[in-house]
Amino acid sequence: MSKFLCQRLQTLEAYTPGEQPRDKKYIKLNTNESPFPPSQGVISAITAGEIEDLRLYCDPECKALRQALAGLYQVKPENIYLANGSDDILNFAFMAYGQAGAAFADITYGFYSVFAQLNGIAADVIPLKEDFTLDVDGFCNQNKLVVIANPNAPTGLEIPLSDIERILKTNPNSVVLIDEAYVEFGGISCVELTRNYSNLLCVKTFSKSHSMAGARLGYAIASEALIADLETIKYSTNPYNINRLTQIAGTKAVEENDYYRENCKKIMANRDYTVSELEKLGFSVLPSKANFIFAKSDKIDGLSLYQKLKEKGVLIRHFEKPRIRDYNRITIGSRAEMEIFITKVTEILGEAL
Ligand SMILES: *Cc1c(COP(=O)(O)O)cnc(C)c1O
Protein backbone atom coordinates (compact mmCIF):
# COMPACT_ATOMS: atom_id res chain seq x y z
CA MET A 1 0.00 0.00 0.00
CA SER A 2 1.29 3.46 -0.79
CA LYS A 3 1.19 6.32 1.66
CA PHE A 4 -1.08 8.12 -0.80
CA LEU A 5 -4.13 5.86 -0.54
CA CYS A 6 -7.06 7.65 1.05
CA GLN A 7 -7.87 6.55 4.57
CA ARG A 8 -11.29 5.18 3.69
CA LEU A 9 -9.75 2.59 1.35
CA GLN A 10 -6.80 1.58 3.50
CA THR A 11 -8.75 -1.20 5.23
CA LEU A 12 -10.62 -2.37 2.13
CA GLU A 13 -10.54 -6.15 1.85
CA ALA A 14 -10.76 -6.86 -1.86
CA TYR A 15 -12.71 -9.75 -3.31
CA THR A 16 -10.65 -12.88 -4.00
CA PRO A 17 -11.54 -14.38 -7.39
CA GLY A 18 -11.27 -18.13 -7.86
CA GLU A 19 -7.73 -19.17 -8.78
CA GLN A 20 -6.79 -19.41 -12.49
CA PRO A 21 -3.45 -21.27 -12.26
CA ARG A 22 -1.32 -21.68 -15.39
CA ASP A 23 1.21 -24.27 -14.12
CA LYS A 24 -0.63 -27.19 -15.71
CA LYS A 25 -3.91 -28.03 -17.35
CA TYR A 26 -6.62 -28.47 -14.73
CA ILE A 27 -10.19 -29.62 -14.90
CA LYS A 28 -11.68 -26.31 -13.78
CA LEU A 29 -14.63 -26.80 -11.48
CA ASN A 30 -13.87 -23.73 -9.37
CA THR A 31 -15.32 -20.59 -11.00
CA ASN A 32 -18.71 -21.69 -12.36
CA GLU A 33 -17.78 -21.20 -16.00
CA SER A 34 -19.59 -23.14 -18.72
CA PRO A 35 -17.90 -26.20 -20.24
CA PHE A 36 -19.54 -25.33 -23.58
CA PRO A 37 -18.21 -22.80 -26.10
CA PRO A 38 -20.38 -19.87 -27.24
CA SER A 39 -22.86 -20.67 -30.01
CA GLN A 40 -21.72 -20.94 -33.63
CA GLY A 41 -23.26 -17.61 -34.62
CA VAL A 42 -21.26 -15.84 -31.93
CA ILE A 43 -18.03 -17.41 -33.10
CA SER A 44 -18.58 -16.50 -36.75
CA ALA A 45 -19.85 -12.98 -35.97
CA ILE A 46 -16.45 -11.87 -34.68
CA THR A 47 -14.94 -11.29 -38.12
CA ALA A 48 -11.70 -9.60 -39.17
CA GLY A 49 -13.82 -6.63 -40.26
CA GLU A 50 -15.32 -6.28 -36.79
CA ILE A 51 -11.85 -6.45 -35.30
CA GLU A 52 -10.68 -3.69 -37.67
CA ASP A 53 -13.58 -1.58 -36.38
CA LEU A 54 -12.11 -1.71 -32.89
CA ARG A 55 -10.47 1.61 -33.77
CA LEU A 56 -13.94 3.16 -33.45
CA TYR A 57 -15.78 3.71 -30.18
CA CYS A 58 -18.58 1.30 -29.47
CA ASP A 59 -22.27 2.25 -29.26
CA PRO A 60 -22.73 3.59 -25.71
CA GLU A 61 -26.46 2.82 -25.89
CA CYS A 62 -25.88 -0.80 -27.01
CA LYS A 63 -29.02 -0.44 -29.14
CA ALA A 64 -28.96 -3.80 -30.94
CA LEU A 65 -28.21 -5.81 -27.82
CA ARG A 66 -30.80 -3.98 -25.73
CA GLN A 67 -33.40 -4.50 -28.42
CA ALA A 68 -32.60 -8.21 -28.56
CA LEU A 69 -32.89 -8.61 -24.79
CA ALA A 70 -36.08 -6.55 -24.69
CA GLY A 71 -37.55 -8.98 -27.22
CA LEU A 72 -36.43 -11.99 -25.22
CA TYR A 73 -38.00 -10.75 -21.99
CA GLN A 74 -40.96 -8.88 -23.52
CA VAL A 75 -40.00 -5.62 -21.86
CA LYS A 76 -39.04 -2.21 -23.26
CA PRO A 77 -35.40 -1.34 -24.03
CA GLU A 78 -35.82 1.32 -21.32
CA ASN A 79 -36.21 -1.51 -18.79
CA ILE A 80 -32.75 -2.88 -19.56
CA TYR A 81 -29.33 -1.73 -18.43
CA LEU A 82 -26.15 -3.33 -19.82
CA ALA A 83 -22.87 -3.54 -17.95
CA ASN A 84 -19.33 -4.82 -18.14
CA GLY A 85 -20.20 -7.92 -16.13
CA SER A 86 -22.94 -7.93 -13.52
CA ASP A 87 -20.39 -7.10 -10.82
CA ASP A 88 -20.43 -3.53 -12.17
CA ILE A 89 -24.19 -3.35 -11.63
CA LEU A 90 -23.83 -4.57 -8.07
CA ASN A 91 -21.27 -1.85 -7.40
CA PHE A 92 -23.54 0.81 -8.93
CA ALA A 93 -26.49 -0.39 -6.87
CA PHE A 94 -24.56 -0.09 -3.61
CA MET A 95 -23.36 3.35 -4.73
CA ALA A 96 -26.83 4.52 -5.74
CA TYR A 97 -29.16 2.92 -3.21
CA GLY A 98 -27.07 2.17 -0.12
CA GLN A 99 -27.55 5.47 1.67
CA ALA A 100 -29.51 3.87 4.54
CA GLY A 101 -27.26 0.80 4.59
CA ALA A 102 -27.45 -2.58 2.89
CA ALA A 103 -28.77 -5.94 4.09
CA PHE A 104 -27.43 -9.25 2.82
CA ALA A 105 -26.85 -12.77 4.13
CA ASP A 106 -23.72 -13.97 5.94
CA ILE A 107 -23.21 -16.81 3.47
CA THR A 108 -23.62 -15.34 0.00
CA TYR A 109 -21.66 -13.84 -2.88
CA GLY A 110 -18.47 -12.40 -1.38
CA PHE A 111 -18.60 -9.24 -3.46
CA TYR A 112 -21.58 -7.77 -1.56
CA SER A 113 -19.55 -7.00 1.54
CA VAL A 114 -16.70 -5.64 -0.60
CA PHE A 115 -19.03 -3.24 -2.43
CA ALA A 116 -20.58 -2.13 0.87
CA GLN A 117 -17.11 -1.33 2.20
CA LEU A 118 -15.94 0.29 -1.03
CA ASN A 119 -18.92 2.63 -1.03
CA GLY A 120 -18.78 3.36 2.70
CA ILE A 121 -22.12 1.68 3.38
CA ALA A 122 -23.14 0.11 6.69
CA ALA A 123 -23.66 -3.61 6.17
CA ASP A 124 -26.47 -5.40 8.00
CA VAL A 125 -25.48 -9.05 7.75
CA ILE A 126 -28.46 -11.34 8.26
CA PRO A 127 -27.35 -14.92 8.99
CA LEU A 128 -28.87 -17.73 6.97
CA LYS A 129 -30.84 -20.20 9.06
CA GLU A 130 -29.17 -23.37 10.36
CA ASP A 131 -30.12 -25.25 7.17
CA PHE A 132 -28.69 -22.41 4.99
CA THR A 133 -32.11 -21.17 3.90
CA LEU A 134 -32.78 -17.43 3.85
CA ASP A 135 -34.17 -15.76 6.98
CA VAL A 136 -36.99 -14.15 5.05
CA ASP A 137 -38.45 -12.32 8.07
CA GLY A 138 -35.03 -10.82 8.71
CA PHE A 139 -35.13 -9.15 5.29
CA CYS A 140 -38.64 -7.73 5.71
CA ASN A 141 -39.19 -4.10 6.77
CA GLN A 142 -35.49 -3.26 6.43
CA ASN A 143 -36.01 -0.15 4.36
CA LYS A 144 -32.43 -0.20 3.25
CA LEU A 145 -30.88 -1.75 0.13
CA VAL A 146 -31.62 -5.50 0.19
CA VAL A 147 -29.28 -7.74 -1.82
CA ILE A 148 -30.11 -11.40 -2.36
CA ALA A 149 -28.66 -13.96 -4.75
CA ASN A 150 -31.31 -16.35 -6.11
CA PRO A 151 -30.23 -19.11 -6.31
CA ASN A 152 -27.80 -18.26 -3.55
CA ALA A 153 -24.06 -18.74 -3.91
CA PRO A 154 -22.22 -20.78 -2.80
CA THR A 155 -25.10 -22.88 -1.44
CA GLY A 156 -27.10 -23.24 -4.68
CA LEU A 157 -30.36 -22.98 -2.71
CA GLU A 158 -33.36 -21.39 -4.37
CA ILE A 159 -35.53 -18.74 -2.72
CA PRO A 160 -39.25 -19.10 -3.59
CA LEU A 161 -40.69 -16.18 -5.57
CA SER A 162 -43.40 -15.77 -2.90
CA ASP A 163 -40.69 -14.97 -0.35
CA ILE A 164 -39.11 -12.45 -2.70
CA GLU A 165 -42.50 -10.84 -3.20
CA ARG A 166 -42.97 -10.57 0.57
CA ILE A 167 -39.57 -8.86 0.86
CA LEU A 168 -40.51 -6.47 -1.97
CA LYS A 169 -43.84 -5.58 -0.35
CA THR A 170 -42.32 -4.94 3.06
CA ASN A 171 -39.52 -2.73 1.70
CA PRO A 172 -41.51 -0.25 -0.39
CA ASN A 173 -39.06 2.58 0.25
CA SER A 174 -35.86 0.79 -0.72
CA VAL A 175 -34.42 -1.15 -3.60
CA VAL A 176 -34.43 -4.95 -3.50
CA LEU A 177 -31.69 -6.36 -5.74
CA ILE A 178 -32.10 -9.98 -6.81
CA ASP A 179 -28.89 -11.37 -8.30
CA GLU A 180 -29.90 -14.07 -10.79
CA ALA A 181 -26.43 -15.11 -11.99
CA TYR A 182 -27.52 -18.76 -11.75
CA VAL A 183 -31.26 -18.70 -12.32
CA GLU A 184 -31.12 -20.40 -15.75
CA PHE A 185 -30.11 -23.70 -14.14
CA GLY A 186 -33.56 -24.58 -12.82
CA GLY A 187 -34.58 -21.55 -10.76
CA ILE A 188 -37.53 -19.22 -11.31
CA SER A 189 -36.71 -15.68 -12.42
CA CYS A 190 -38.24 -12.60 -10.82
CA VAL A 191 -38.23 -10.67 -14.12
CA GLU A 192 -42.05 -10.79 -14.26
CA LEU A 193 -42.23 -9.07 -10.88
CA THR A 194 -40.36 -6.03 -12.28
CA ARG A 195 -43.63 -5.04 -13.99
CA ASN A 196 -45.38 -4.59 -10.64
CA TYR A 197 -42.60 -3.60 -8.25
CA SER A 198 -40.77 -0.39 -9.09
CA ASN A 199 -38.22 -1.14 -6.32
CA LEU A 200 -37.06 -4.46 -7.81
CA LEU A 201 -33.68 -4.58 -9.56
CA CYS A 202 -33.17 -7.94 -11.25
CA VAL A 203 -29.50 -8.53 -12.15
CA LYS A 204 -28.34 -11.12 -14.68
CA THR A 205 -25.20 -12.16 -16.54
CA PHE A 206 -23.93 -13.91 -19.66
CA SER A 207 -21.01 -15.32 -17.65
CA LYS A 208 -22.50 -18.58 -16.40
CA SER A 209 -25.41 -19.78 -18.54
CA HIS A 210 -24.23 -18.12 -21.78
CA SER A 211 -20.60 -19.27 -21.92
CA MET A 212 -19.21 -15.72 -21.95
CA ALA A 213 -17.46 -15.12 -18.63
CA GLY A 214 -14.49 -13.69 -20.53
CA ALA A 215 -16.59 -11.31 -22.64
CA ARG A 216 -17.80 -9.44 -19.51
CA LEU A 217 -21.49 -8.87 -20.09
CA GLY A 218 -24.13 -8.39 -17.43
CA TYR A 219 -27.53 -6.69 -17.42
CA ALA A 220 -30.29 -5.51 -15.18
CA ILE A 221 -34.05 -5.55 -15.75
CA ALA A 222 -36.12 -3.09 -13.73
CA SER A 223 -38.52 -0.17 -13.83
CA GLU A 224 -37.54 2.66 -16.17
CA ALA A 225 -36.68 4.92 -13.25
CA LEU A 226 -34.18 2.47 -11.74
CA ILE A 227 -32.59 1.87 -15.14
CA ALA A 228 -32.30 5.63 -15.63
CA ASP A 229 -30.39 5.87 -12.33
CA LEU A 230 -27.88 3.26 -13.47
CA GLU A 231 -27.50 5.03 -16.82
CA THR A 232 -26.71 8.27 -15.01
CA ILE A 233 -23.90 6.59 -13.08
CA LYS A 234 -22.63 4.90 -16.22
CA TYR A 235 -22.48 8.20 -18.12
CA SER A 236 -20.63 9.63 -15.13
CA THR A 237 -17.98 6.91 -15.10
CA ASN A 238 -17.57 4.94 -18.33
CA PRO A 239 -20.11 5.44 -21.15
CA TYR A 240 -18.37 2.87 -23.40
CA ASN A 241 -18.64 0.09 -20.86
CA ILE A 242 -19.45 -2.74 -23.30
CA ASN A 243 -16.81 -3.18 -25.99
CA ARG A 244 -17.71 -3.66 -29.67
CA LEU A 245 -16.96 -7.38 -29.83
CA THR A 246 -18.94 -8.15 -26.71
CA GLN A 247 -21.96 -6.22 -28.03
CA ILE A 248 -21.86 -8.31 -31.21
CA ALA A 249 -21.36 -11.57 -29.32
CA GLY A 250 -24.16 -10.78 -26.87
CA THR A 251 -26.65 -9.87 -29.59
CA LYS A 252 -25.94 -13.12 -31.47
CA ALA A 253 -26.17 -15.12 -28.26
CA VAL A 254 -29.66 -13.78 -27.57
CA GLU A 255 -30.71 -14.76 -31.11
CA GLU A 256 -29.39 -18.25 -30.45
CA ASN A 257 -30.80 -18.54 -26.96
CA ASP A 258 -32.17 -22.04 -27.57
CA TYR A 259 -28.59 -23.37 -27.77
CA TYR A 260 -27.87 -22.01 -24.29
CA ARG A 261 -31.12 -23.38 -22.90
CA GLU A 262 -30.09 -26.82 -24.12
CA ASN A 263 -26.66 -26.41 -22.54
CA CYS A 264 -28.27 -25.48 -19.22
CA LYS A 265 -30.37 -28.65 -19.43
CA LYS A 266 -27.23 -30.70 -20.01
CA ILE A 267 -25.58 -29.08 -17.00
CA MET A 268 -28.66 -29.87 -14.90
CA ALA A 269 -28.48 -33.53 -15.99
CA ASN A 270 -24.76 -33.62 -15.15
CA ARG A 271 -25.61 -32.06 -11.79
CA ASP A 272 -28.10 -34.87 -11.05
CA TYR A 273 -25.44 -37.42 -11.99
CA THR A 274 -22.78 -35.80 -9.79
CA VAL A 275 -25.10 -35.45 -6.79
CA SER A 276 -26.15 -39.08 -6.92
CA GLU A 277 -22.54 -40.29 -7.27
CA LEU A 278 -21.39 -38.10 -4.37
CA GLU A 279 -24.27 -39.31 -2.23
CA LYS A 280 -23.23 -42.90 -2.93
CA LEU A 281 -19.81 -41.90 -1.56
CA GLY A 282 -21.45 -40.61 1.62
CA PHE A 283 -21.42 -36.87 0.87
CA SER A 284 -24.24 -34.59 1.86
CA VAL A 285 -25.12 -32.19 -0.92
CA LEU A 286 -27.43 -29.19 -0.63
CA PRO A 287 -30.28 -29.20 -3.19
CA SER A 288 -28.88 -26.98 -5.95
CA LYS A 289 -30.62 -24.94 -8.65
CA ALA A 290 -27.28 -23.61 -9.92
CA ASN A 291 -24.41 -24.83 -12.11
CA PHE A 292 -22.53 -25.81 -8.98
CA ILE A 293 -23.17 -27.90 -5.90
CA PHE A 294 -22.18 -27.38 -2.30
CA ALA A 295 -21.10 -30.63 -0.68
CA LYS A 296 -19.40 -32.03 2.40
CA SER A 297 -18.11 -35.43 3.42
CA ASP A 298 -17.83 -36.85 6.93
CA LYS A 299 -14.76 -38.82 5.79
CA ILE A 300 -12.54 -35.91 4.75
CA ASP A 301 -12.51 -32.23 5.65
CA GLY A 302 -13.20 -29.61 3.03
CA LEU A 303 -9.71 -28.13 2.81
CA SER A 304 -7.99 -31.54 2.47
CA LEU A 305 -10.35 -32.63 -0.26
CA TYR A 306 -9.75 -29.38 -2.15
CA GLN A 307 -5.95 -29.77 -1.82
CA LYS A 308 -5.86 -33.44 -2.81
CA LEU A 309 -8.06 -32.82 -5.84
CA LYS A 310 -5.78 -29.98 -6.90
CA GLU A 311 -2.78 -32.35 -6.74
CA LYS A 312 -4.74 -34.66 -9.02
CA GLY A 313 -5.48 -31.86 -11.49
CA VAL A 314 -9.05 -30.97 -10.49
CA LEU A 315 -9.84 -27.50 -9.13
CA ILE A 316 -12.84 -26.89 -6.90
CA ARG A 317 -13.58 -23.92 -4.62
CA HIS A 318 -12.99 -23.99 -0.90
CA PHE A 319 -14.02 -21.14 1.40
CA GLU A 320 -12.19 -21.04 4.71
CA LYS A 321 -15.12 -19.45 6.57
CA PRO A 322 -16.27 -20.91 9.89
CA ARG A 323 -19.83 -21.84 8.92
CA ILE A 324 -18.92 -23.47 5.62
CA ARG A 325 -15.36 -24.73 5.95
CA ASP A 326 -16.56 -28.37 5.85
CA TYR A 327 -18.00 -27.78 2.40
CA ASN A 328 -16.66 -27.30 -1.08
CA ARG A 329 -18.31 -25.66 -4.06
CA ILE A 330 -18.04 -27.78 -7.17
CA THR A 331 -18.87 -26.34 -10.57
CA ILE A 332 -20.83 -28.69 -12.82
CA GLY A 333 -18.88 -29.22 -16.04
CA SER A 334 -19.25 -31.67 -18.90
CA ARG A 335 -20.23 -35.25 -18.21
CA ALA A 336 -16.65 -36.40 -18.93
CA GLU A 337 -15.25 -33.85 -16.47
CA MET A 338 -17.69 -34.92 -13.77
CA GLU A 339 -16.80 -38.58 -14.29
CA ILE A 340 -13.13 -37.76 -13.78
CA PHE A 341 -14.03 -35.70 -10.72
CA ILE A 342 -15.94 -38.63 -9.20
CA THR A 343 -13.07 -41.03 -9.99
CA LYS A 344 -10.57 -38.73 -8.26
CA VAL A 345 -12.80 -38.25 -5.22
CA THR A 346 -13.23 -42.02 -4.95
CA GLU A 347 -9.43 -42.45 -5.08
CA ILE A 348 -8.91 -39.81 -2.40
CA LEU A 349 -11.47 -41.36 -0.06
CA GLY A 350 -9.75 -44.74 -0.54
CA GLU A 351 -6.37 -43.19 0.34
CA ALA A 352 -7.81 -41.44 3.40
CA LEU A 353 -8.92 -44.73 4.99
C1 LIG B 1 -20.45 -14.93 -11.02
C2 LIG B 1 -21.38 -14.09 -10.22
C3 LIG B 1 -21.64 -12.77 -10.54
C4 LIG B 1 -20.78 -11.97 -11.48
O1 LIG B 1 -20.82 -12.24 -12.72
P1 LIG B 1 -20.15 -11.32 -13.84
O2 LIG B 1 -21.32 -10.99 -14.68
O3 LIG B 1 -19.15 -12.22 -14.45
O4 LIG B 1 -19.55 -10.10 -13.21
C5 LIG B 1 -22.61 -12.08 -9.84
N1 LIG B 1 -23.26 -12.65 -8.84
C6 LIG B 1 -23.02 -13.91 -8.45
C7 LIG B 1 -23.78 -14.48 -7.32
C8 LIG B 1 -22.06 -14.65 -9.14
O5 LIG B 1 -21.77 -15.87 -8.70
Side-chain angles (χ1 to χ4, degrees), residues 269-311:
N270 295 344
R271 181 177 71 202
D272 291 346
Y273 160 79
T274 309
V275 171
S276 81
E277 291 300 313
L278 282 178
E279 284 176 350
K280 282 184 213 160
L281 294 169
F283 279 78
S284 23
V285 188
L286 298 186
S288 170
K289 288 283 169 82
N291 67 339
F292 57 81
I293 51 176
F294 206 47
K296 70 169 178 180
S297 163
D298 53 11
K299 299 192 188 71
I300 186 166
D301 66 275
L303 183 60
S304 302
L305 179 63
Y306 155 77
Q307 286 167 337
K308 285 171 191 284
L309 277 169
K310 186 171 177 185
E311 284 164 23

Side-chain angles (χ1 to χ4, degrees), residues 150-151 178-184 188-191 202-205:
N150 185 31
I178 304 296
D179 181 346
E180 293 192 347
Y182 301 105
V183 83
E184 283 86 0
I188 298 173
S189 173
C190 68
V191 166
C202 176
V203 177
K204 299 166 82 75
T205 177

Side-chain angles (χ1 to χ4, degrees), residues 75-131:
V75 297
K76 286 191 275 181
E78 291 77 20
N79 296 116
I80 293 177
Y81 173 77
L82 285 152
N84 190 315
S86 56
D87 288 336
D88 255 7
I89 306 175
L90 301 175
N91 184 27
F92 282 14
F94 277 87
M95 193 188 294
Y97 306 119
Q99 205 168 17
F104 46 86
D106 60 340
I107 307 297
T108 190
Y109 188 37
F111 238 135
Y112 303 156
S113 58
V114 177
F115 286 138
Q117 231 193 323
L118 177 64
N119 292 289
I121 288 162
D124 186 353
V125 176
I126 301 175
L128 296 179
K129 293 184 189 167
E130 195 60 33
D131 61 359

Side-chain angles (χ1 to χ4, degrees), residues 2 31 42 60 71 90 134 150 152 154 167 233 264 276 297 304 315 330:
S2 80
T31 48
V42 170
L90 301 175
L134 195 77
N150 185 31
N152 195 16
I167 292 167
I233 303 178
C264 291
S276 81
S297 163
S304 302
L315 288 178
I330 302 140

